[in-house]
Amino acid sequence: MTTTISDLPEAGTVRLVDHLAAELARAGVTHVFGVGGANIEDLYDAVHRSGTVRGVVAKHEFSAVTMADGYARTTRRLGVVAATSGGGAMNLVPGLAEAYASQVPVLALVGQPPTAQEGHGAFQDSSGKGGSFDAAEVFTPISRFCARVEDADSLRELLPRALAAAQTDPRGPAVLLLPKDVQQARIRLPGRGPARTPKGPAPTPAGPTPAQGLPMSVPTASAARLDGAALAEVSNVLRGADRVLVIAGEEVAAADARAELAELARSLGAWVAVTPDAKDVFDNHDPRFAGVAGVMGHANVEDCLRRADVCLLVGTRLPLLARGGLERALAATDVVSLGHARPFVPGAALGGDLRDALRAVTGGLPARPRDCPQHAGPLPTLMPAPVSPPTRPRTVPYTEAVAAVEAALPQDAHVFVDAGNAGASAIHLLPAPRHGRFVVALGMGGMGYTFGAGIGAALATGRRTYVLAGDGAFFMHGMEVHTALEYAAPVTFVIFNNNAHAMCALREEFLQGGSRTDDLFRRTDIAAGVAAAFPSLDVTGAENAAQLRKALLRSNTGGGPAFVALDCDPREIPPFLPFQPFAEATAGNENADTKESSDERRVVRVG
């Protein structure tokens, strides 16, 4: 093949993807997660050549997004995912929806067919031309910013806008659609000549327009000053209260405001509860800790709320899963809130930067710390044990299994909890590690989220990371164990195998008469299967809590992944408020008689 002059790179230029990889590194990005393909391979080549950003290849694009999500939640930096066109691009949607709903900063770089082929029958065309659908219309509702990069020079404008949008409240995904020829195009290095004006009109952000001209390596923050009238109103309410219950949410973690929260709680003499997705924002062993609020929470939170003069919401809008069972007590209590978004319950609200708000409110209180009033603490809800037939293999109750996890869990580890009965039990029973994250993805609540997210967190921080999931979640995205093994990620996967979609099965029994058994499955030996598939992986099939604890302690000393599976009973009722009346009836509790209405018996409809 003869190389012509026109084929040679122009002096002072680089490929757009090389420039993109360098800019990601300059923004503090250390990993790009994704799945390769023809229309994104040039970016992977540039990442490899850069030597500063590590490319991580997942088994599925959903898990690649959750890797970026877990990376972002544990580092408070931007997570980046890259995927090819067609099915690869569409597989990003549920993961980006979770990041959007949970306000996690993620940048999605999505390959597209070459521009010359758009509208002419290109393979995986999603340009909106020639009868194809428009990928931008798919991603715009689940992103803070979405744009198609029409030519190489337009990236200079679009990339900073995307990074700013992802990291500005309300944070969330930003999406750049990258045609293959644009990725391969040459872009002039800064200072080597005039930049061309991008073709066409500027794309419309999917949310509020981010600030312009901000350094890409510095996350943007709210520049708005606190509202003086709102600050005075909230402060006056709190100063006049003798008993305060604080309910803290995930925004405390996102804003790195744990210290400010603790200082305010001391100044108020307050009890502190947390939402189910924010268990790590306050020390679970602190005497002020009241427990988890909502449908997977502790009865003590409602007791404290009924005794409180004021309920202070910090960094939470108090969605249904966090307020379920508390509605009557909330209606009878003054509510005030701190956070960038107004909550779903009425009350005085102070918006703006959360750390600034916490400091301002604390600054207006007496400097002397106050003890909180006596309270019961986060005592677990006692649920009836299922009665297993003699022929059924012995199973490990959730209380015993979670206690084994607690005994082995390093205090600097991260914990990612998946959906289902196992997840509800972990949220209710397992204290968050003092120096690690305790993450529950409640934005969309998708099963299988934790497998990718735990890997992303472990690779980003190097810390031991526990993934707690049921067999249903494992069968969805558990083959990311392969990714953990390939990259020696320090992840311990703990699979609570009840051979069922057990929460669905219990709903069918309690709410639909139990006529279906669709969600009850034949027994699968998951540990044996994983051990056979991955001979080099440390795999344990734990038959009891002691074996589980031993396997977990062994995993803590290793450098790579480990896998533990144990059998649980699909009929075991988890500490989940919608099931509590049926659990009481199962236990023969006299308080669960038919004289009470379903509302009085606390039947909470979720899902």
Side-chain angles (χ1 to χ4, degrees):
M1 178 178 176
T2 303
T3 301
T4 66
I5 294 297
S6 62
D7 295 326
L8 296 175
E10 182 182 351
T13 66
V14 296
R15 292 180 304 170
L16 177 139
V17 287
D18 295 313
H19 171 73
L20 178 53
E23 290 298 285
L24 292 177
R26 193 162 72 89
V29 173
T30 58
H31 293 72
V32 171
F33 305 95
V35 180
N39 286 327
I40 201 65
E41 63 190 3
D42 297 285
L43 176 60
Y44 278 100
D45 178 68
V47 167
H48 173 75
R49 292 174 184 271
S50 74
T52 55
V53 179
R54 187 182 189 188
V56 177
V57 177
K59 307 285 93 61
H60 192 280
E61 290 84 1
F62 169 78
S63 291
V65 181
T66 66
M67 289 177 194
D69 179 302
Y71 173 105
R73 294 198 203 215
T74 51
T75 64
R76 298 182 59 249
R77 298 198 302 266
L78 180 74
V80 180
V81 61
T84 193
S85 51
M90 295 302 100
N91 284 340
L92 297 173
V93 169
L96 292 179
E98 167 60 39
Y100 181 91
S102 293
Q103 300 189 9
V104 180
V106 171
L107 174 65
L109 303 171
V110 186
Q112 296 286 278
T115 54
Q117 298 177 10
E118 294 174 352
H120 298 286
F123 179 58
Q124 299 180 332
D125 189 1
S126 57
S127 64
K129 302 174 183 177
S132 65
F133 73 91
D134 189 344
E137 293 183 357
V138 174
F139 290 115
T140 293
I142 53 171
S143 63
R144 306 299 179 189
F145 180 90
C146 179
R148 185 180 297 272
V149 182
E150 300 287 359
D151 60 73
D153 287 326
S154 65
L155 185 74
R156 295 188 187 278
E157 175 205 359
L158 297 176
L159 182 59
R161 293 180 67 187
L163 295 180
Q167 299 173 96
T168 303
D169 287 333
R171 303 176 310 156
V175 180
L176 291 178
L177 303 171
L178 298 165
K180 184 174 178 68
D181 57 315
V182 175
Q183 296 178 52
Q184 296 174 330
R186 309 298 297 187
I187 187 169
R188 187 169 294 279
L189 294 172
R192 299 297 182 92
R196 287 195 301 117
T197 302
K199 295 188 297 185
T204 301
T209 302
Q212 300 293 310
L214 294 164
M216 291 181 5
S217 60
V218 180
T220 60
S222 173
R225 299 173 64 179
L226 296 175
D227 183 287
L231 174 60
E233 182 180 11
V234 169
S235 297
N236 288 337
V237 171
L238 292 174
R239 278 195 293 266
D242 289 328
R243 295 183 175 183
V244 177
L245 171 66
V246 174
I247 303 180
E250 168 64 15
E251 191 184 344
V252 176
D256 193 22
R258 292 177 179 84
E260 289 81 1
L261 170 65
E263 182 62 25
L264 177 59
R266 286 191 291 269
S267 297
L268 289 170
W271 304 296
V272 180
V274 294
T275 58
D277 58 346
K279 198 166 184 181
D280 60 13
V281 303
F282 192 80
D283 185 354
N284 292 188
H285 301 281
D286 190 291
R288 302 180 189 278
F289 184 61
V292 177
V295 299
M296 292 166 277
H298 300 94
N300 181 59
V301 175
E302 182 181 2
D303 181 61
C304 290
L305 180 58
R306 292 188 182 279
R307 296 166 59 194
D309 303 310
V310 174
C311 178
L312 171 61
L313 307 180
V314 178
T316 177
R317 300 186 70 192
L318 211 64
L320 180 59
L321 289 183
R323 71 175 188 271
L326 302 178
E327 288 93 339
R328 289 184 179 180
L330 284 166
T333 308
D334 288 337
V335 177
V336 296
S337 68
L338 309 178
H340 78 266
R342 277 190 170 271
F344 295 110
V345 293
L350 174 60
D353 181 80
L354 184 60
R355 295 178 75 179
D356 289 346
L358 285 164
R359 290 166 179 165
V361 171
T362 303
L365 297 171
R368 180 174 56 86
R370 295 169 51 193
D371 293 332
C372 71
Q374 292 293 316
H375 63 119
L379 299 176
T381 300
L382 298 178
M383 308 300 286
V387 179
S388 299
T391 57
R392 190 178 187 89
R394 185 186 184 279
T395 57
V396 183
Y398 289 128
T399 52
E400 294 181 17
V402 174
V405 173
E406 180 182 359
L409 183 67
Q411 286 303 299
D412 64 347
H414 302 303
V415 179
F416 284 78
V417 177
D418 219 296
N421 286 1
S425 299
I427 292 167
H428 189 80
L429 297 169
L430 181 63
R434 281 192 168 95
H435 308 295
R437 292 298 328 263
F438 189 104
V439 176
V440 186
L442 294 182
M444 288 289 104
M447 291 172 64
Y449 160 89
T450 57
F451 292 91
I455 293 169
L459 291 176
T461 65
R463 296 191 196 177
R464 176 58 52 181
T465 300
Y466 277 41
V467 166
L468 309 181
D471 53 306
F474 170 78
F475 286 125
M476 288 190 179
H477 292 285
M479 283 300 100
E480 294 301 336
V481 168
H482 179 273
T483 308
L485 195 59
E486 286 291 303
Y487 293 92
V491 183
T492 300
F493 300 95
V494 185
I495 309 303
F496 300 80
N497 180 17
N498 50 32
N499 295 288
H501 289 163
M503 185 167 281
C504 296
L506 288 175
R507 288 179 62 87
E508 290 155 10
E509 178 181 349
F510 295 150
L511 304 176
Q512 297 182 328
S515 61
R516 294 189 290 120
T517 59
D518 311 45
D519 288 303
L520 298 172
F521 313 134
R522 284 173 286 191
R523 183 176 184 275
T524 302
D525 191 339
I526 294 177
V530 170
F534 307 110
S536 63
L537 180 64
D538 179 3
V539 178
T540 301
E543 296 181 357
N544 52 53
Q547 291 181 9
L548 171 60
R549 178 177 177 272
K550 182 178 179 181
L552 296 178
L553 289 172
R554 186 174 67 249
S555 79
N556 294 343
T557 63
F563 188 97
V564 188
L566 63 152
D567 284 344
C568 299
D569 196 317
R571 295 168 302 170
E572 182 175 357
I573 303 174
F576 186 56
L577 190 57
F579 294 162
Q580 187 169 321
F582 307 102
E584 292 170 350
T586 299
N589 190 319
E590 293 181 358
N591 293 327
D593 60 33
T594 56
K595 295 179 182 179
E596 296 177 294
S597 70
S598 64
D599 184 62
E600 290 168 337
R601 288 168 52 195
R602 296 164 57 95
V603 175
V604 178
R605 303 294 182 185
V606 178

